[in-house]
């Protein structure tokens, strides 16, 4: 996924009231699992915190757990011990402005970039938890919720992240105001309009992180 925007434009678009450790924010064209990225939570006000991509449940024995928890299927959220208790209290928004998906074409995998056609942010529904390291420091981490791809995207991949429009962020973020059933019902039924196009294989390596990653393949030189 990507978050290429400057901090001020993100703050304005999402009505963010506080950004923890803002000096640590660096725009990225290739955010990979295990890296930190900005996550929006609401504890009475909208706050952005940097979190590790790959959920480490608070009860996990070690941090390696997170490498298996990049995405969470919406269909089984309430069945999995790692997620079940978080849905009612620890919902978050993963701030992105696009994401990559790989389409299988014979024996090849072609990377695609998907984004808002108007270059707005693509807020994704997520869950987070905080794990305490044996040395005493805390690691906040998150997972992105996925669902079956809507029809116009299913030719690329059968799954997609749950993407929320601006006007419905509160239903996901405000866990005291909106029940689990109401929040899940809402996000299941949102089908955003996305622009999609193939990009180069640069994105296959996390070492590559530049605007060239999101250039359409036919413009790549």
């Amino acid at each position: 996924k990507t978050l290429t925007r400057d901090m001020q434009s993100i703050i304005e678009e999402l009505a963010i009231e506080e950004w923890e450790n803002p000096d640590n924010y660096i725009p990225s064209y290739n955010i990979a699992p295990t890296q930190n990225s900005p996550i929006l939570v609401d504890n009475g006000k909208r706050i952005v915190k940097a979190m590790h991509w790959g959920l480490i449940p608070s009860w996990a024995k070690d941090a390696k757990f997170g490498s298996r928890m990049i995405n969470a299927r919406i269909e089984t959220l309430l069945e999995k011990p790692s997620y079940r208790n978080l849905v009612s209290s620890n919902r978050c928004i993963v701030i992105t402005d696009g994401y990559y998906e790989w389409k299988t074409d014979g024996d090849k995998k072609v990377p695609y970039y998907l984004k808002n056609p108007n270059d707005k942010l693509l807020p994704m529904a997520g869950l987070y938890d905080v794990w305490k390291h044996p040395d005493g420091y805390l690691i906040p981490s998150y997972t992105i919720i996925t669902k079956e791809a809507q029809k116009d995207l299913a030719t690329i991949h059968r799954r997609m992240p749950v993407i929320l429009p601006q006007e419905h962020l509160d239903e996901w973020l405000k866990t005291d105001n909106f029940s689990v059933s109401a929040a899940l019902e809402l996000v299941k039924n949102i089908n955003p309009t996305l622009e999609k196009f193939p990009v180069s294989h640069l994105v296959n390596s996390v070492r590559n992180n530049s605007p060239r990653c999101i250039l359409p393949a036919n413009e790549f030189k």
Side-chain angles (χ1 to χ4, degrees):
K1 60 189 170 74
T2 64
L3 185 54
T4 66
R5 297 267 294 274
D6 67 277
M7 182 185 294
Q8 192 54 40
S9 73
I10 296 169
I11 288 171
E12 290 171 7
E13 190 171 328
L14 296 181
I16 291 161
E17 295 162 273
E18 184 181 330
W19 192 305
E20 288 189 358
N21 302 311
D23 292 344
N24 292 340
Y25 172 64
I26 301 172
S28 178
Y29 291 86
N30 199 355
I31 302 170
T34 75
Q35 293 181 343
N36 280 3
S37 67
I39 302 300
L40 178 60
V41 298
D42 190 311
N43 66 355
K45 60 181 176 179
R46 289 188 178 185
I47 300 178
V48 171
K49 304 169 183 271
M51 295 191 193
H52 169 100
W53 185 8
L55 188 91
I56 310 166
S58 57
W59 44 262
K61 289 187 172 65
D62 60 57
K64 293 176 187 169
F65 207 100
S67 64
R68 305 194 300 272
M69 314 280 278
I70 307 305
N71 297 325
R73 297 170 66 92
I74 195 167
E75 296 87 350
T76 55
L77 278 186
L78 301 181
E79 299 165 20
K80 303 278 185 182
S82 305
Y83 307 133
R84 191 169 51 218
N85 296 331
L86 301 179
V87 183
S88 60
S89 59
N90 287 36
R91 304 197 294 261
C92 65
I93 295 294
V94 182
I95 306 173
T96 81
D97 55 9
Y99 70 100
Y100 301 107
E101 199 55 87
W102 281 260
K103 178 180 180 178
T104 301
D105 183 9
D107 57 356
K108 295 184 299 182
K109 288 202 167 183
V110 180
Y112 275 71
Y113 185 56
L114 298 94
K115 68 184 190 75
N116 182 299
N118 300 314
D119 293 325
K120 297 283 191 185
L121 291 170
L122 275 193
M124 298 178 179
L127 298 174
Y128 73 97
D129 208 345
V130 180
W131 182 73
K132 188 171 184 177
H133 192 278
D135 291 342
Y137 61 89
L138 302 177
I139 301 179
S141 61
Y142 71 93
T143 188
I144 295 172
I145 297 173
T146 66
K147 64 176 185 176
E148 278 196 27
Q150 58 200 49
K151 282 183 181 176
D152 62 321
L153 303 180
T155 54
I156 297 175
H157 197 274
R158 59 189 182 82
R159 306 288 298 175
M160 67 177 289
V162 170
I163 296 165
L164 299 178
Q166 295 276 11
E167 62 269 22
H168 290 303
L169 296 188
D170 276 350
E171 284 100 317
W172 188 253
L173 286 172
K174 291 185 178 294
T175 54
D176 289 343
N177 298 8
F178 298 93
S179 69
V180 169
S181 57
L184 289 179
E185 197 56 37
L186 166 79
V187 300
K188 281 178 191 169
N189 295 312
I190 290 174
N191 293 309
T193 299
L194 297 180
E195 182 181 345
K196 54 190 184 293
F197 50 84
V199 292
S200 82
H201 287 277
L202 270 182
V203 301
N204 290 353
S205 170
V206 296
R207 291 191 297 273
N208 298 320
N209 192 338
S210 78
R212 297 176 78 209
C213 289
I214 60 172
L215 268 183
N218 58 6
E219 294 177 21
F220 190 82
K221 295 185 174 93

